[in-house]
């Protein structure tokens, strides 16, 4: 379990994740094998440069590394691991090509050295649907350029990101701009001088669910833990609940990215930002908006959040009650204990969040 981010009494939606046992066929792959076998457990393939078949689970040997970029069409496919050891690594990233659908990546480590600002460690092409990442790591290397996780809304829909870690030290960590996404119980972090932890850039992004995540931009300055733009047409059906927005030690400025906010809420009504925990340092607003993108004078849907440090707003005249502000984490913990309540979000540090 992901530390105190799994609550006994807090109710949030949990996605259904496919298992290798849901597929009729199984093929084993060991990139470290000297010879290419027939795909059985005793004689695994030694390459991922294959055509991925439907109704098939592909299991990559734990502790191995695939040195090339994996760029394929996946349809009704499961990619997981077998054996003991660390997650298998896709060392030069992953591209999910157009036409892919109903694919689950379970326990896979995706990384890459980015060479330019728009280099994508993990990229979705157009016309993809029902793509799931669970129990995985998607991490940009220290100092490397590019986006770890980039999904375009162009003719794509329905993505699940569950119980995974996504992080970056340059650029944004997670760019997801497609309808029907579920982002649940993840550790998503960013230490880039001018990068967002989660960025959702365009309008028309309906039915987006973000819950029970630790969304961290501590120990860096500027930009946003979560940026949601309303756009045209306006997005609707967005629910953001039971998350921690960690923003301690964020004073300072640089790269034209001074200030910033935990959440930049550009969406209009019919959306909900509620029951989240904001851990705030100095030099940043808790929630920010701009006229023309949100009803800044009447913040529909922003209610019943908990704040540690401060609940500073920018371009909102006020916040809907109830909401509570605590000076310190100790004060918050005392309040919870005395009232027999669970925290709205995680109260643990990121280094203990991910197992």
């Amino acid at each position: 379990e992901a530390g105190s981010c799994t609550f006994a009494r807090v109710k949030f939606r949990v996605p259904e994740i496919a298992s290798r046992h849901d597929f009729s066929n199984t093929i084993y792959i060991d990139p470290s094998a000297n010879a290419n076998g027939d795909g059985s457990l005793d004689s695994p393939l030694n390459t991922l440069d294959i055509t991925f078949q439907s109704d098939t689970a592909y299991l990559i040997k734990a502790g191995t590394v695939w040195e090339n970029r994996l760029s394929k069409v996946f349809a009704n496919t499961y990619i997981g691991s077998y054996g003991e050891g660390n997650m298998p690594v896709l060392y030069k990233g992953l591209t999910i090509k157009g036409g892919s659908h109903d694919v689950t990546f379970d326990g896979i480590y995706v990384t890459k050295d980015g060479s330019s600002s728009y280099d994508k460690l993990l990229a979705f092409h157009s016309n993809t649907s029902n793509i799931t990442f669970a129990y995985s790591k998607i991490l940009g290397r220290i100092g490397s350029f590019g986006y770890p996780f980039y999904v375009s809304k162009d003719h794509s829909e329905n993505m699940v990101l569950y119980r995974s870690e996504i992080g970056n030290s340059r650029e944004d960590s997670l760019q997801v701009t497609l309808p029907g996404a579920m982002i649940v119980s993840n550790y998503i972090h960013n230490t880039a001088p001018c990068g967002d932890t989660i960025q959702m850039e365009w309008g028309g992004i309906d039915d987006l669910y973000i819950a029970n995540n630790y969304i961290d931009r501590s120990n860096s300055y500027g930009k946003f833990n979560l940026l949601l733009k309303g756009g045209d047409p306006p997005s609707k059906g967005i629910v953001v609940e039971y998350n921690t927005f960690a923003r301690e030690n964020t004073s300072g400025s640089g790269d034209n990215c001074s200030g910033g906010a935990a959440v930049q809420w550009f969406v209009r009504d019919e959306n909900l930002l509620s029951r989240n925990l904001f851990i705030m340092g100095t030099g940043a607003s808790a929630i920010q908006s701009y006229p023309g993108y949100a009803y800044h004078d009447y913040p529909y849907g922003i209610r019943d959040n908990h704040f540690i440090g401060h609940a500073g707003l920018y371009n909102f005249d006020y916040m809907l009650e109830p909401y509570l502000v605590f000076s310190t984490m100790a004060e918050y913990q005392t309040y919870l204990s005395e009232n027999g309540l669970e925290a709205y979000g995680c109260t643990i540090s990121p280094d203990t969040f991910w197992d």
Side-chain angles (χ1 to χ4, degrees):
E1 297 297 317
S4 64
C5 275
T6 300
F7 305 113
R9 286 170 281 179
V10 168
K11 304 296 183 183
F12 54 88
R13 291 161 49 194
V14 176
E16 293 185 7
I17 307 300
S19 162
R20 55 175 288 191
H21 303 294
D22 298 329
F23 298 83
S24 300
N25 307 301
T26 301
I27 292 178
Y28 294 87
I29 301 171
D30 178 1
S32 66
N34 292 326
N36 196 26
D38 59 12
S40 64
L41 178 60
D42 294 331
S43 180
L45 303 179
N46 68 355
T47 178
L48 287 168
D49 190 15
I50 58 177
T51 299
F52 285 80
Q53 303 296 324
S54 179
D55 195 23
T56 301
Y58 292 85
L59 305 183
I60 307 169
K61 188 175 182 179
T64 61
V65 177
W66 177 245
E67 297 283 355
N68 301 312
R69 188 172 184 89
L70 182 60
S71 180
K72 298 289 181 177
V73 175
F74 306 93
N76 190 25
T77 305
Y78 173 95
I79 294 93
S81 66
Y82 74 98
E84 300 294 328
N86 296 326
M87 296 179 187
V89 177
L90 303 180
Y91 193 74
K92 292 187 178 179
L94 169 65
T95 298
I96 299 173
K97 287 190 170 183
S100 295
H101 63 87
D102 300 289
V103 56
T104 296
F105 292 85
D106 185 353
I108 303 296
Y109 193 143
V110 186
T111 187
K112 182 179 183 296
D113 275 328
S115 58
S116 65
S117 293
Y118 292 98
D119 204 351
K120 300 172 180 65
L121 188 160
L122 190 158
F124 286 50
H125 285 182
S126 299
N127 299 303
T128 62
S129 62
N130 301 320
I131 312 296
T132 294
F133 285 85
Y135 309 99
S136 295
K137 292 190 177 188
I138 303 154
L139 300 175
R141 297 190 198 134
I142 298 299
S144 180
F145 285 94
Y147 301 109
F149 201 117
Y150 185 93
V151 186
S152 170
K153 72 169 185 173
D154 296 333
H155 313 294
S156 296
E157 61 183 3
N158 300 337
M159 182 208 72
V160 170
L161 185 59
Y162 181 62
R163 294 288 304 278
S164 294
E165 180 183 5
I166 303 95
N168 203 13
S169 63
R170 299 287 293 266
E171 315 295 342
D172 305 324
S173 292
L174 174 61
Q175 280 207 355
V176 177
T177 310
L178 79 169
M182 291 186 71
I183 302 171
V184 177
S185 299
N186 303 285
Y187 171 33
I188 308 172
H189 51 90
N190 189 287
T191 57
C194 206
D196 301 316
T197 310
I198 302 177
Q199 182 184 112
M200 302 187 178
E201 187 72 28
W202 310 110
I205 309 305
D206 298 342
D207 302 319
L208 170 66
Y209 187 67
I210 304 175
N212 196 47
N213 302 283
Y214 197 107
I215 303 170
D216 190 10
R217 238 195 99 68
S218 297
N219 302 309
S220 57
Y221 46 78
K223 298 292 276 187
F224 310 100
N225 295 52
L226 172 63
L227 183 153
L228 278 168
K229 285 190 176 180
D232 188 17
S235 298
K236 59 183 184 292
I238 295 174
V239 175
V240 181
E241 62 180 1
Y242 298 117
N243 301 282
T244 295
F245 296 99
R247 208 158 166 100
E248 307 108 310
N249 308 321
T250 54
S251 60
S253 62
D255 292 351
N256 299 314
C257 287
S258 61
V263 174
Q264 194 165 50
W265 190 253
F266 281 11
V267 294
R268 297 180 182 272
D269 54 355
E270 300 184 27
N271 302 289
L272 183 68
L273 177 67
S274 182
R275 299 178 295 275
N276 300 284
L277 175 62
F278 291 76
I279 306 175
M280 301 300 302
T282 60
S285 302
I287 306 172
Q288 177 183 114
S289 185
Y290 287 111
Y293 286 95
Y295 293 112
H296 60 102
D297 58 338
Y298 196 85
Y300 292 98
I302 302 176
R303 66 186 73 218
D304 196 17
N305 296 287
H306 290 169
F307 301 84
I308 298 172
H310 67 83
L313 303 179
Y314 183 78
N315 266 329
F316 284 117
D317 291 347
Y318 61 90
M319 191 178 340
L320 292 181
E321 294 184 349
Y323 68 95
L324 298 174
V325 185
F326 303 87
S327 297
T328 64
M329 179 64 75
E331 182 183 329
Y332 183 53
Q333 296 282 22
T334 298
Y335 164 79
L336 297 174
S337 177
E338 290 178 348
N339 292 276
L341 300 175
E342 296 280 356
Y344 276 170
C346 306
T347 58
I348 53 176
S349 60
D351 61 341
T352 59
F353 184 97
W354 180 258
D355 182 10

